[in-house]
Amino acid sequence: MTKTTNHAATNTDIWQGRIDAEDGEAGMRFHQKVTLIGDDEQLTNQAGVVLLGFACDEGVKRNKGRVGAVQAPDIIRKALANTAWHHDNATKTSTFVDAGNIYCSDTDLAASQKELAYHVETALNKQNKVMVLGGGHEIAWGTFQGLAQHFQNSGISTDVNKPKIGIINFDAHFDLRTYSTDGQAFPTSSGTPFNQIAKHCQQLGWAFNYACLGVSRASNTQALFTLADQLGVHYREDHQLASYHLAERIEELIAFIDNVDHLYLTIDIDVFSASTAPGVSAPAARGVNYESVEALLQPIFNAKNSAGQAKLIIADLAEYNPNFDIDNQTARLAARLTWDITRAMFKSK
């Protein structure tokens, strides 16, 4: 795939923060560890973590949501910049690269998703793990396309050995909405990515292993629940993620993880209650608390395949909307999630 011009390096002014020179290496913060690049050819095979931004909310607009997520990647970066760096592992210094933002130009959502896929595939091909900051949840279709291309073009996927990918989505919505192949009657949007992924898996002959945790029954029609059942989706509703259910939920999640070899984690910030995450396109009246999500993330972070390698290789965050945030509360939540996920990725090296 050839890349387009919808990609730009991150502005250096975004990565600013406190410097504790008196503490030396032990006083490092994210902004002191990041390497900014604008050209994927500079990516190395150092097996670090590559950060990408998907500055797009065309999918949210098409899905009749509140726009504003296009601004999210850089604001999350700003919130992350001053956090403490605890990401070096025992054997070497970890490489953290910011590979810039992909933009949606002229409402061409499909082109921006293909562009994201290109950059995701490039990073994965160079032995890196990938963290993507959205943007609306249309990000998932771009992320998964890049992951699939990596498996196809690196020889990991063959007719005999098909990759067993587990998709774990923390979300108030299934995002399995119907879309038309001509893109006109029912265009693709932030509500369709996992339906698109399901059809893509079917075309490739791959299993569609999808877990959606935190679903709001009040926010998903019966048609969506019926389709989820038809596709064999493992889902649990928001009230089923309460603390007194967690032991059972963790056991179920581990069983799901044990059945796959690779994990793609995606978190829609609207899975959290509106009091925790006010800055989203569709705030949740009930939602899930952070402690429950944090507990369910641990088996994802700890999962290893038969070769002893971490199963989690790529993750993204979606639907943070700065237009409706309060005192950067949701930005800090998104930054903390990014901190947790990248720390897990580095520890698994």
Side-chain angles (χ1 to χ4, degrees), residues 104-123:
C104 180
S105 301
D106 300 322
T107 71
D108 193 342
L109 178 57
S112 64
Q113 289 167 320
K114 288 180 180 178
E115 177 81 358
L116 174 59
Y118 168 84
H119 292 278
V120 165
E121 181 193 356
T122 299

Side-chain angles (χ1 to χ4, degrees), residues 297-308:
L297 286 173
Q298 299 315 304
I300 300 171
F301 294 162
N302 295 335
K304 305 284 186 182
N305 61 24
S306 58

